[in-house]
Amino acid sequence: MTATTLPLGEAGAGAGAGPSAAADGPARGRRRGGRARVLLRRLGFYLGTAAVAITLNFVIPRLMPGDPASVILNKLSQRAQVTPATEKSIRALFGVPDQNLWQQYLHYLSQLAHLDFGVSTAYFPQPVSELIAQGLPWTLGLVSLTTVLAFLLGTGLGIVSGARPGSRLDSVLAPLATFLGSMPYFWVATMLLLLLSVNLPVFPSQNGYDLNLEPGFSLAFVTSVIAHGFLPAATIIISSVGGWLLGMRNMMITTVAEDYVSLAEAKGLGRGRILLAYAARNAMLPQVAGLAISIGTVVGGSLLAEAVFAYPGIGYLFYQAVVNLDYPLMQALFLIISLSVLVANFIADSVYVLLDPRTREDA
């Protein structure tokens, strides 16, 4: 009988004692070493990418014609008196004419190390770092919750749809997923706003909570946060669940035809165990890789959704910065968003390395 490929985690099941068991220790050590080498290589790649993003954030304002720092300082001086500390901070971020580029870069890195992004021109005299600290938790909560829900919902429906391709349920879910996946975030947000906030005033149309309430862990405040966040969350889930469903469905169709699934059926294992422990477990690996790739898209979609619903996160801050030509805030948000996407991708990439041994075979 020819050797049969077993699903992940099943290859060593039933191995007896003796020489093979004695070799398990060194084999486990090699596997751990392989994982560590792969993770270190990927960490180096992401650190290099982060360095490029930080450098671009430094270079782009200095490629602008004229002296951006002087323009920003002039705009600030029209509202209030600019202190020497504020002027020093702005010039460190946007250029000092009498310093060479290397000195400016070192000052810029020093400012970033102290989380000093200057003063916002749109919200003067509030520092940019305070604005980001206020908006970042809202965006992180929205993106993390909606990404997990869309992933679980789409993956679960994809398992059901791909387990019986061509069935009545599959003939409904597959076209529906294609339709949902083709809808842009901005359009979905606008339609939900018109349907469930303007025509049918079921949910609030803007803000993150009722401004008449005192922020805290009271039932009234938590209920208000959920009500105000429902439409932005629904926008992201509706726009992204179709991609997860189609990806999992297609992988399930391929996986259920594998030899190890046929072997499990020949052994008389239950249909549910075969689908979950054999087919779905292996078909889910590309989904994890897709999670890393899609994080940037989800973040971009959340920015659009926040702008439509005036949700008090990073997206709405970015919209206000663009409208008001708030360059310090725009520069800081560009860097924060870039680094956040890199961190999320590294986490998803690391999880994939831990789940799939094939990614570290050549380590």
Side-chain angles (χ1 to χ4, degrees):
M1 178 182 294
T2 58
T4 303
T5 304
L6 295 177
L8 298 179
E10 299 281 340
S20 60
D24 281 349
R28 282 195 296 268
R30 288 193 298 270
R31 287 196 294 270
R32 294 193 193 98
R35 284 197 296 265
R37 284 191 294 271
V38 173
L39 291 176
L40 285 176
R41 282 203 301 265
R42 298 195 178 187
L43 177 61
F45 168 78
Y46 282 105
L47 288 177
T49 307
V52 171
I54 292 173
T55 304
L56 285 176
N57 205 42
F58 165 81
V59 171
I60 289 175
R62 287 157 179 80
L63 296 178
M64 297 170 57
D67 183 7
S70 297
V71 174
I72 294 170
L73 289 172
N74 289 334
K75 187 175 180 180
L76 291 176
S77 63
Q78 296 173 4
R79 300 190 177 188
Q81 183 178 2
V82 178
T83 64
T86 299
E87 181 177 357
K88 181 180 179 181
S89 174
I90 292 296
R91 290 202 176 278
L93 290 169
F94 291 92
V96 183
D98 58 351
Q99 287 185 348
N100 62 46
L101 203 60
W102 177 247
Q103 289 177 318
Q104 294 184 43
Y105 188 61
L106 293 179
H107 287 162
Y108 164 78
L109 293 179
S110 176
Q111 295 291 104
L112 293 187
H114 292 86
L115 298 179
D116 184 359
F117 299 102
V119 179
S120 169
T121 60
Y123 299 89
F124 186 81
Q126 192 168 5
V128 170
S129 57
E130 290 185 5
L131 292 171
I132 294 176
Q134 293 171 7
L136 191 59
W138 293 94
T139 297
L140 288 178
L142 179 66
V143 171
S144 59
L145 178 63
T146 54
T147 301
V148 171
L149 289 178
F151 177 82
L152 294 177
L153 181 61
T155 301
L157 292 176
I159 292 174
V160 176
S161 180
R164 297 183 181 276
S167 64
R168 185 174 301 176
L169 181 61
D170 180 56
S171 63
V172 173
L173 289 178
L176 179 62
T178 304
F179 174 71
L180 293 177
S182 64
M183 293 192 301
Y185 287 86
F186 186 83
W187 185 85
V188 175
T190 304
M191 291 298 102
L192 288 177
L193 181 65
L194 290 174
L195 292 175
L196 299 178
S197 184
V198 177
N199 296 334
L200 296 174
V202 179
F203 295 100
S205 61
Q206 59 183 357
N207 297 324
Y209 60 93
D210 189 346
L211 300 181
N212 296 320
L213 296 175
E214 185 70 23
F217 289 101
S218 63
L219 179 61
F221 179 76
V222 172
T223 304
S224 178
V225 169
I226 294 174
H228 282 77
F230 181 84
L231 291 182
T235 297
I236 299 174
I237 292 175
I238 291 173
S239 299
S240 57
V241 71
W244 296 121
L245 198 161
L246 284 178
M248 191 63 187
R249 172 189 179 273
N250 294 337
M251 284 305 304
M252 280 292 294
I253 292 175
T254 302
T255 306
V256 293
E258 294 288 344
D259 291 340
Y260 59 81
V261 176
S262 301
L263 178 61
E265 293 175 345
K267 289 180 178 180
L269 299 180
R271 179 69 177 175
R273 182 182 177 187
I274 293 174
L275 289 178
L276 295 178
Y278 286 76
R281 184 178 180 182
N282 290 269
M284 199 176 295
L285 291 175
Q287 291 285 96
V288 177
L291 179 63
I293 298 172
S294 69
I295 287 174
T297 305
V298 173
V299 171
S302 71
L303 301 186
L304 294 174
E306 289 179 11
V308 172
F309 297 106
Y311 193 75
I314 296 299
Y316 186 66
L317 269 181
F318 204 99
Y319 170 74
Q320 291 296 323
V322 172
V323 170
N324 295 285
L325 298 179
D326 190 343
Y327 293 108
L329 185 54
M330 279 192 285
Q331 185 189 38
L333 289 175
F334 169 78
L335 182 61
I336 293 297
I337 293 170
S338 301
L339 296 180
S340 299
V341 172
L342 286 175
V343 170
N345 273 268
F346 174 70
I347 293 174
D349 224 4
S350 302
V351 172
Y352 188 77
V353 171
L354 298 176
L355 290 177
D356 190 355
R358 293 169 295 184
T359 59
R360 53 183 185 268
E361 285 178 351
D362 299 328

